[in-house]
């Protein structure tokens, strides 16, 4: 992006026409490993990623699967329940009471109705991933109370490979 002309912005996400022109592949102008935002992840992007990673699933089925997951998330939050996704974060439904606010232009008091809002709290692993750090996973205990080996049992793998 040019400082002199902020209207000249790099195209950071693909349009549907771009997707069709490249045979179903989303082509981003910025490399994936380059730091900084590359655009907005859409339902279509998620469905395309599912289609690519799971063999035997069509693009239509991947889109339907994406829509079903999002619908379930919305229904859960609309019912007032919280939603927790391991290693991603938690969506919490909070109830805000009615309060008095002010019109910033005139300064006149304006009542703000009671409402429910959704807040998101990122998991520690998500925060670590965003900051380029290793995930904060807990070491699993070995069966029957034995201590975990310091190198994670790599000597067993080496011995069995020989």
């Amino acid at each position: 992006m040019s400082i002199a002309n902020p209207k000249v912005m790099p195209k950071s996400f693909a349009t549907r026409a771009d997707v069709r022109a490249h045979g179903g592949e989303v082509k981003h102008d910025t490399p994936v490993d380059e730091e900084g935002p590359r655009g907005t992840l859409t339902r279509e992007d998620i469905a395309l990623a599912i289609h690519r990673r799971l063999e035997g699933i069509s693009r239509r089925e991947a889109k339907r699967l994406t829509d079903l997951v999002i619908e379930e998330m919305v229904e859960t939050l609309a019912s007032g329940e919280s939603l927790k996704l391991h290693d991603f974060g938690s969506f919490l439904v909070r109830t805000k009471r009615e309060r008095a606010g002010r019109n910033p232009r005139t300064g006149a008091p304006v009542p703000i109705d009671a409402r429910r809002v959704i807040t998101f709290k990122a998991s520690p692993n998500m925060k670590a991933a965003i900051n380029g750090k290793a995930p904060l996973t807990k070491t699993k205990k070995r069966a029957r109370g034995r201590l975990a080996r310091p190198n994670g049992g790599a000597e067993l793998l080496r011995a069995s490979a020989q």
Side-chain angles (χ1 to χ4, degrees):
M1 178 166 80
S2 170
I3 296 173
N5 188 358
K7 290 183 181 179
V8 178
M9 298 183 68
K11 186 175 180 184
S12 58
F13 55 90
T15 62
R16 288 183 182 173
D18 293 336
V19 172
R20 278 188 240 115
H22 295 300
E25 278 191 49
V26 176
K27 299 284 186 179
H28 292 282
D29 290 341
T30 55
V32 174
D33 45 336
E34 177 184 307
E35 288 194 28
R38 64 169 196 174
T40 301
L41 182 68
T42 64
R43 284 181 187 219
E44 190 173 331
D45 293 336
I46 294 169
L48 188 59
I50 291 170
H51 167 69
R52 284 186 186 151
R53 291 184 185 189
L54 297 178
E55 290 184 22
I57 189 167
S58 69
R59 290 177 76 180
R60 179 175 288 165
E61 290 170 334
K63 183 179 182 325
R64 179 76 178 129
L65 178 63
T66 303
D67 290 341
L68 286 171
V69 169
I70 292 172
E71 283 176 26
E72 187 66 28
M73 292 171 68
V74 168
E75 288 174 11
T76 299
L77 293 168
S79 71
E81 296 179 59
S82 296
L83 176 68
K84 185 174 184 176
L85 301 173
H86 184 70
D87 287 341
F88 185 74
S90 300
F91 294 90
L92 307 168
V93 179
R94 289 185 43 212
T95 304
K96 291 192 163 191
R97 59 185 170 86
E98 185 176 329
R99 63 186 176 93
R102 294 212 173 266
N103 181 333
R105 187 172 287 176
T106 64
V110 176
I112 299 174
D113 295 333
R115 64 199 187 281
R116 293 191 309 179
V117 296
I118 298 170
T119 60
F120 176 74
K121 183 177 180 192
S123 73
N125 284 344
M126 172 67 83
K127 291 177 185 177
I130 290 171
N131 291 311
K133 298 177 183 174
L136 308 169
T137 56
K138 295 180 182 177
T139 57
K140 294 182 180 178
K141 293 181 182 177
R142 299 206 70 155
R144 299 187 183 166
R146 287 180 271 164
L147 296 174
R149 293 193 170 92
N151 60 356
E155 71 274 2
L156 291 176
L157 292 174
R158 279 190 232 116
S160 65
Q162 294 176 352

